[in-house]
Structures are given as C-alpha cells and as structure tokens.
Amino acid sequence: MDRITLGHGSGGRQMHKLIDSLFLKAFSNPILNQKRDSAVLNIGNKKIAFTTDSYVVDPIFFPGGDIGSLAIYGTVNDLSVCGARALYISVGAVIEEGLDGSVLERIVRSMAEAAKKAGVRIVTGDTKVVEKGSCDRIFINTSGIGEVYYEGLSTDKIAPGDSVIVSGPVGDHAISVLSKREGIEFGTIVRSDSAPLDKLIWKVLRSSKKVRFMRDPTRGGLATTLNEIALGAKSGIAIEERDVPVRPPVRQACELLGLDPLYLACEGRVIIIAAKEDGPRILKTLGADKAGRGAKIIGSVTGDRSARVYLNTIAGGKRIIDMLSGEQLPRIC
Amino acid sequence: MDRITLGHGSGGRQMHKLIDSLFLKAFSNPILNQKRDSAVLNIGNKKIAFTTDSYVVDPIFFPGGDIGSLAIYGTVNDLSVCGARALYISVGAVIEEGLDGSVLERIVRSMAEAAKKAGVRIVTGDTKVVEKGSCDRIFINTSGIGEVYYEGLSTDKIAPGDSVIVSGPVGDHAISVLSKREGIEFGTIVRSDSAPLDKLIWKVLRSSKKVRFMRDPTRGGLATTLNEIALGAKSGIAIEERDVPVRPPVRQACELLGLDPLYLACEGRVIIIAAKEDGPRILKTLGADKAGRGAKIIGSVTGDRSARVYLNTIAGGKRIIDMLSGEQLPRIC
C-alpha cells in the first residue's frame, strides 16, 4: 500500500477503497460489513445503534458552529439516519499543549449546549494532551449510542421509482468553513447548516411508513452519498440539476473557486429515499420544520442495475456523477 | 483558565482538576458524575457499560505491543474492571498525511488480532486524514460497549480492613515505551504488560463474591489510581513498599532516570479491593492465570476518613503518596 494522502480522508473513492481493502478485510464481521452510518446491535430485548466519528475541522470556530457542536450533532445525526433516538455520547479529546484554556472552555460549553439541544447525555470521556506541534489545537472523537425506534431502513428496500429527497440546500457547511479558513468573503456570510436532525427525522418517519433509507451527505457531499446509496441498492439514481437546492452565495463561491456544490459537505441535511407516493407528504413534513426548510425532491431511483448516479443537467444533457475522487476540501469536519 | 499543559493529560492531579472544573461541570449528569472507567447504562432489560479512550502513544510500536493492540486492550480493560463483558468496539483513526501504508496495515492487523484475542467485534469506524505536521502519525480512539455481568462494584462498598491487591508487577508498559522512545537500554529489554484483562477479571469475580471495586492503573500509575479509589471510598489506604511488585529491570530503569515506579503506567494490570478473608483466594485465582502471575496483596483499607494513601517504606518510615502532579512521562498511551 502507498502512503496515506488527504484523499484517503475525503469521504470519496480513495477512502472507500481504503476502508474496503484494509479495515473491512481485517475486521470483517456481519455487523461492520453492512457499512451503515451506525452499527445496529442486539442488546437484550432492544436494538441499539452505535457510531463513532472524529472531528478535525479547521478552523475550530466558523460561522454557524464550532468543532464542539459539530461533534455532537454529527454523531446524533449518524444515529438518527439509522432510525435511532440518540441517547448517550462519549467524548474523547486530543489537545495540543499550549491551547488557550478559554478556547477549550468555549468548545466544552458549546458541546454541553448542543447535547442539551439534541437531548443526549455525555456519559463518559477521555482527555489526552500531546506536545506542541504534535496535533493541530484539538481533535474530538464522539461515539454515540441510540435506541432504534424504526427498523427496516435499508438500501435493500430501495425500489425503482422511489423518490430522492434532500432536506435543504447543500454546501453551506463546506463554504462556511472554507471561507473562514481562507479569509475569503462572498458578499454574504455563509453560515454552516450544522444542526441536529433527530427531531426532523423522527417526524418524517412518523409521517410515512415508506421511507426506504436515509443518509446525511457529509464528507464527499450529495454526489458521493448518492453513489454510496446506488451501490448499496445496486440500482441507478437520476437527479435533476435544476432541482438540487443551492443557496446563491454558495453557488457564487463555487463558481469563484471552481468547486462543484454536489461534492460539498453538509452537516445538517439528510437524503431520504422513499416511495414516490409518499414524496409530497414527506416534503410537507420537512418544510413545516425549520430544519427542513428548502427541502426538495431532486430525483428518483431508476430501473437499471448500473449502480450509477446520473445528473440531468439544466442544459438538457445527461452525465454520470461519480464519487468524489481526490480531496476537494480537507478537514471540513 | 490557563493554557493547557502536558500535565493536563497525565492522568494525575491537573487532569482531575480539569475534568472536575470543566468537563463534569459543563456536562453534569448522574451517570457521568460517577466518574467510573465506564458509564453504566440501562438499555431495556440489560445494563451495559460504555467507555472511550484516545491513544496517542509515542512510539507507535514498542516491545510487547503497539498503538493498535493497546487501543483494543485498553478499552476492553475499562469495560472489564466495571464487571462487564466487552462486546463491541468502535475505531476512530486520525492519520497524518504521508503515513506509510504498510505502517497503517501493521496497526490494523494488530487491532484485528487483539480484538480476536479479547473476543470483541469492531463494528463501526471512522477515518480522518490531516495535513502533514497536523498530527503525529496516527491517533486512535476506541469506544466500547459491554454487557454488565457483575453488578455492585463500587467505591461505596469499600470497608476498613479490605485488602488491596495488584495483579502483577507494575511499570513494565511505561518503561517499555520510554526505553524505545529514548533509545535507552537497561540490560534486559522490558516488554509492555499491555494485555486484555477480561478473562482474568471474570475468573476473579467468579471466585469471590466479596470484590468491592477494581480499576486498571494506567496513566498516573498505582499511586494515582489508589488515590482515586481512596477519594471515592472516602477512606485511607495503606500499602507496604516491600510488597509492591516491580521487576528488577524496571526498578533499575527508575533508579537511573529518577522515576518512581508507583507512578508508572501499566496496561495489563488491575487493582482489586476485596474483603480481607477473600484475599488469599483471589491471589490464588490470579496466580493460576498467566495474566495474573506475580500478583500480590500490597496493603489494606484503613479505618480513617482521610482519603489519603500511605506508603509504609522498606526503611520503616511512613509517607503520604499523592496523585501524580505534573507530567512524568507524556504520551505513554
């Protein structure tokens, strides 16, 4: 194996290859091999979801959020998209020697507020400090446990004709972090969409019994997540470029920087695959909640077995959109 | 609050102060406030234990172990000392750009073997890559879930006269890592004691119903862990210097480097507080297992309410041994 590159952490093709060829091979077991956002485990008479994420976002504070709230919401969301109610969270912090105590305090307070907002309890933790220069300020791992309240979300359930829904505009998080990091302004300050999705998803699952699968489009963005879903479902997905919601300042930033909004990380959005007949109802449920404002049906599952994602462009063309390859924006979460 | 120092990650006094004054205050809830190695949670009809640890050991390979197996065993042990059978583990890796792929492969293989040895399944994971210079090769977080099979281990149960038992010689891990890092040899190569304690602890809990409490003396060593226990029990503890098992090369290294073996991290040892009458039986159980060879009764719980740890020295003196203050050895785990 070659040297590790930033692309191996991008959420895109190289990361999937690394995970498949190294981690899944070495650790192989039926639960891990499902490759879900959370592992689903049987504990006594309950099904619980278990997930982990490390956060290395740079900068640690950005418009609309910070590494602390991001770490809480990200893990809550990974549980939520598996139909689980997030209950307990662990926090593991690796801190660089010399970090200002007030910075740590601000992050910890933000985590506490985020946990309160998402209704989870931080029940265990660990703190390590490394020498100056051995890490970049602070990295935070959060692992979470949730109780599965809605079973049966699976890419296996996805059928031709199903609708593809996104819960709001894409790319706000990535542009927020990028603009803060690079000191670029795009007229309007773009705020991260970082938010807990637990209540929104609960409402959606209450309003429709025909939701097949959900995933939050974080690293690698909408395009990469749709590719993961298409691969899992062994089915094509077609989306309409004109229907993908992108805020004007995000679009403008993408044009200036040569970025594709389809590959930008979101931290408060969910992609929902559901039966076509339930699409309008789900859209209504989403739109009635602040967290789901701007939701759109952006496409559908095709009948073909290509496992490809097709984009019908505004200009009338059709092109395959692949997983993110290489690294578009490092340390976005 | 001042800047973060290496002492804040030492496992000793500053770390406890940081945890109490910042994390416990901000995140306060009855489960976290118990300050156990694992949080104990009620899930349906089961009690489960949940724990997290980040590993930043330097070097990543050392005699007797590596960061991968250490990360698995450490989390298995944190569950085991709470009377839980480790079942599921999550792995979150933060990798420095440029890390040699073969190094990552070796670590991952070691984790897989360690998981097999300890009978746990790695069920979920996350990989982040940061730019060269933003972390030191690799940091690994493992979080673990276990099923509590033995309830009632608590510092509240500790009573005057109880025996203090250590399952084997102390300090091997710290000296192993230190000698490798600094390129020092002490005649004999000291191998880390890093090992899973699950089976050993299970045997102990099966052999005696009078075990009060257990904790593994990692960062901060035997002295710091005993202080934590004394504080929890609100009772003094007295130990006999002559009875604390320390291997000759570890003692020799300590003399050369001015280190106190009582403060050296172990990664495969457990401190057991149990009723005096069960001490010999527990010692026999420990000694019959390879992982418990060299176990000793090193002292007892005193009747006083000082919450202090006293050392009766070989020379016939008596001194208070406090928690580790400052940083004796950074990045030991």
Side-chain angles (χ1 to χ4, degrees):
Chain A
M1 209 181 111
D2 293 339
R3 287 185 182 279
I4 300 299
T5 66
L6 289 171
H8 286 113
S10 68
R13 186 157 298 284
Q14 285 112 304
M15 196 178 88
H16 279 83
K17 210 179 141 194
L18 177 70
I19 289 170
D20 288 348
S21 67
L22 182 58
F23 292 99
L24 285 183
K25 215 164 151 184
F27 300 155
S28 180
N29 64 64
I31 302 168
L32 182 69
N33 299 351
Q34 289 180 17
K35 294 170 75 171
R36 295 189 63 178
D37 276 345
S38 304
V40 175
L41 314 170
N42 290 305
I43 301 272
N45 59 348
K46 295 281 182 189
K47 267 197 159 51
I48 74 161
F50 179 36
T51 191
T52 194
D53 256 313
S54 298
Y55 295 85
V56 297
V57 66
D58 171 34
I60 50 184
F61 301 103
F62 47 83
D66 58 74
I67 192 171
S69 55
L70 187 71
I72 298 294
Y73 295 152
T75 287
V76 165
N77 293 348
D78 280 348
L79 295 170
S80 300
V81 296
C82 292
R85 186 165 71 96
L87 294 172
Y88 304 111
I89 283 190
S90 68
V91 173
V94 177
I95 305 172
E96 185 184 16
E97 176 190 16
L99 183 76
D100 199 314
S102 64
V103 169
L104 182 61
E105 278 174 18
R106 203 174 142 195
I107 293 167
V108 169
R109 271 201 305 271
S110 171
M111 296 191 91
E113 275 170 38
K116 201 175 165 189
K117 195 169 162 187
V120 292
R121 283 193 279 184
I122 296 167
V123 291
T124 190
D126 176 57
T127 307
K128 293 288 188 306
V129 181
V130 297
E131 316 88 318
K132 198 156 182 59
S134 291
C135 97
D136 189 6
R137 285 159 295 166
I138 185 167
F139 300 152
I140 297 175
N141 176 284
T142 47
S143 299
I145 291 178
E147 194 177 318
V148 177
Y149 66 86
Y150 189 98
E151 287 184 51
L153 295 170
S154 165
T155 50
D156 294 344
K157 299 278 172 77
I158 295 173
D162 284 353
S163 289
V164 178
I165 303 165
V166 63
S167 68
V170 298
D172 296 16
H173 175 72
I175 295 300
S176 159
V177 169
L178 183 68
S179 58
K180 178 79 182 180
R181 180 158 72 203
E182 307 296 340
I184 314 167
E185 284 192 20
F186 305 104
T188 320
I189 287 177
V190 177
R191 287 173 64 84
S192 167
D193 52 283
S194 171
L197 291 167
D198 55 325
K199 290 174 193 72
L200 186 70
I201 286 172
W202 183 81
K203 286 179 192 170
V204 167
L205 291 175
R206 224 171 135 227
S207 74
S208 164
K209 294 293 159 218
K210 290 178 181 167
V211 175
R212 319 295 198 190
F213 189 75
M214 293 186 289
R215 183 160 277 182
D216 50 336
T218 56
R219 279 181 292 172
L222 186 65
T224 302
T225 306
L226 287 175
N227 268 281
E228 291 166 4
I229 296 173
L231 279 171
K234 298 182 191 70
S235 181
I237 288 176
I239 63 168
E240 304 299 320
E241 188 176 15
R242 73 162 61 79
D243 294 330
V244 176
V246 183
R247 287 189 209 282
V250 170
R251 193 176 294 286
Q252 188 195 342
C254 284
E255 278 162 12
L256 275 166
L257 301 168
L259 298 170
D260 185 339
L262 296 178
Y263 291 92
L264 295 181
C266 308
E267 288 290 343
R269 305 289 176 237
V270 56
I271 298 173
I272 299 166
I273 314 290
K276 190 176 196 289
E277 61 269 30
D278 277 16
R281 183 190 303 181
I282 292 169
L283 214 55
K284 205 178 145 197
T285 305
L286 290 169
D289 190 299
K290 201 184 151 202
R293 215 160 283 167
K296 295 272 276 178
I297 296 174
I298 59 169
S300 61
V301 175
T302 64
D304 75 288
R305 308 285 287 166
S306 66
R308 289 282 196 179
V309 181
Y310 305 96
L311 181 75
N312 294 318
T313 67
I314 292 169
K318 180 177 179 172
R319 63 179 178 90
I320 288 172
I321 54 169
D322 206 343
M323 277 193 187
L324 176 63
S325 188
E327 177 53 85
Q328 183 163 328
L329 297 169
R331 296 183 62 187
I332 213 68
C333 64
Chain B
M1 209 181 110
D2 294 338
R3 288 185 182 280
I4 300 299
T5 65
L6 289 172
H8 287 114
S10 67
R13 186 156 298 285
Q14 284 113 306
M15 196 179 88
H16 278 83
K17 210 179 142 192
L18 177 70
I19 289 170
D20 288 348
S21 68
L22 182 59
F23 292 99
L24 284 183
K25 215 165 153 182
F27 301 156
S28 179
N29 63 64
I31 302 166
L32 182 68
N33 299 352
Q34 288 180 19
K35 296 172 73 172
R36 294 188 62 178
D37 276 344
S38 305
V40 175
L41 314 169
N42 290 303
I43 301 272
N45 59 350
K46 295 282 182 190
K47 268 200 159 50
I48 73 162
F50 179 36
T51 191
T52 194
D53 256 313
S54 297
Y55 295 85
V56 297
V57 66
D58 170 34
I60 49 184
F61 301 104
F62 47 83
D66 58 74
I67 192 170
S69 54
L70 187 70
I72 298 294
Y73 296 152
T75 287
V76 165
N77 293 349
D78 279 349
L79 295 170
S80 301
V81 294
C82 291
R85 186 166 70 97
L87 295 172
Y88 303 111
I89 283 190
S90 68
V91 174
V94 177
I95 305 171
E96 184 183 17
E97 176 189 17
L99 183 77
D100 199 314
S102 64
V103 169
L104 183 61
E105 278 173 19
R106 201 173 144 197
I107 293 167
V108 167
R109 271 202 304 272
S110 170
M111 295 190 91
E113 273 170 41
K116 201 174 166 190
K117 194 168 162 188
V120 292
R121 284 193 279 184
I122 296 168
V123 292
T124 190
D126 177 56
T127 308
K128 294 287 186 308
V129 181
V130 297
E131 317 89 316
K132 199 159 180 57
S134 290
C135 96
D136 189 7
R137 287 160 293 165
I138 186 167
F139 300 152
I140 297 176
N141 176 284
T142 46
S143 299
I145 292 178
E147 195 177 318
V148 177
Y149 65 86
Y150 189 98
E151 289 185 49
L153 294 171
S154 165
T155 51
D156 293 345
K157 300 277 172 76
I158 295 173
D162 284 353
S163 290
V164 178
I165 303 165
V166 63
S167 68
V170 299
D172 295 17
H173 175 72
I175 295 300
S176 158
V177 169
L178 182 70
S179 58
K180 178 79 182 177
R181 179 157 76 206
E182 308 296 340
I184 313 168
E185 284 192 21
F186 304 104
T188 319
I189 287 179
V190 178
R191 290 173 62 84
S192 166
D193 52 284
S194 172
L197 291 167
D198 55 325
K199 290 174 194 71
L200 186 70
I201 286 174
W202 184 81
K203 286 180 193 170
V204 167
L205 290 175
R206 222 170 138 229
S207 73
S208 164
K209 294 294 158 218
K210 291 180 181 165
V211 175
R212 320 294 198 189
F213 189 74
M214 291 188 289
R215 181 159 278 180
D216 50 336
T218 56
R219 278 182 293 172
L222 184 67
T224 302
T225 306
L226 287 175
N227 267 279
E228 292 165 4
I229 296 172
L231 279 171
K234 298 182 190 73
S235 181
I237 288 176
I239 62 169
E240 304 300 320
E241 188 176 17
R242 74 162 61 79
D243 293 330
V244 176
V246 183
R247 286 189 211 280
V250 170
R251 192 176 294 284
Q252 188 195 345
C254 284
E255 278 164 11
L256 275 166
L257 301 165
L259 297 170
D260 184 338
L262 295 178
Y263 291 92
L264 294 182
C266 308
E267 289 290 341
R269 304 289 175 238
V270 57
I271 298 172
I272 300 166
I273 314 291
K276 188 172 197 283
E277 61 268 30
D278 277 16
R281 181 190 306 180
I282 292 169
L283 214 55
K284 203 177 148 196
T285 305
L286 289 167
D289 191 298
K290 199 183 153 201
R293 214 160 287 168
K296 294 272 275 181
I297 296 174
I298 59 169
S300 60
V301 176
T302 63
D304 76 288
R305 308 286 288 166
S306 66
R308 290 283 195 179
V309 180
Y310 305 95
L311 181 75
N312 295 317
T313 65
I314 293 170
K318 180 176 178 171
R319 63 181 177 90
I320 290 172
I321 55 170
D322 207 343
M323 279 194 185
L324 177 62
S325 187
E327 177 55 84
Q328 183 165 325
L329 296 170
R331 295 182 63 188
I332 212 71
C333 64

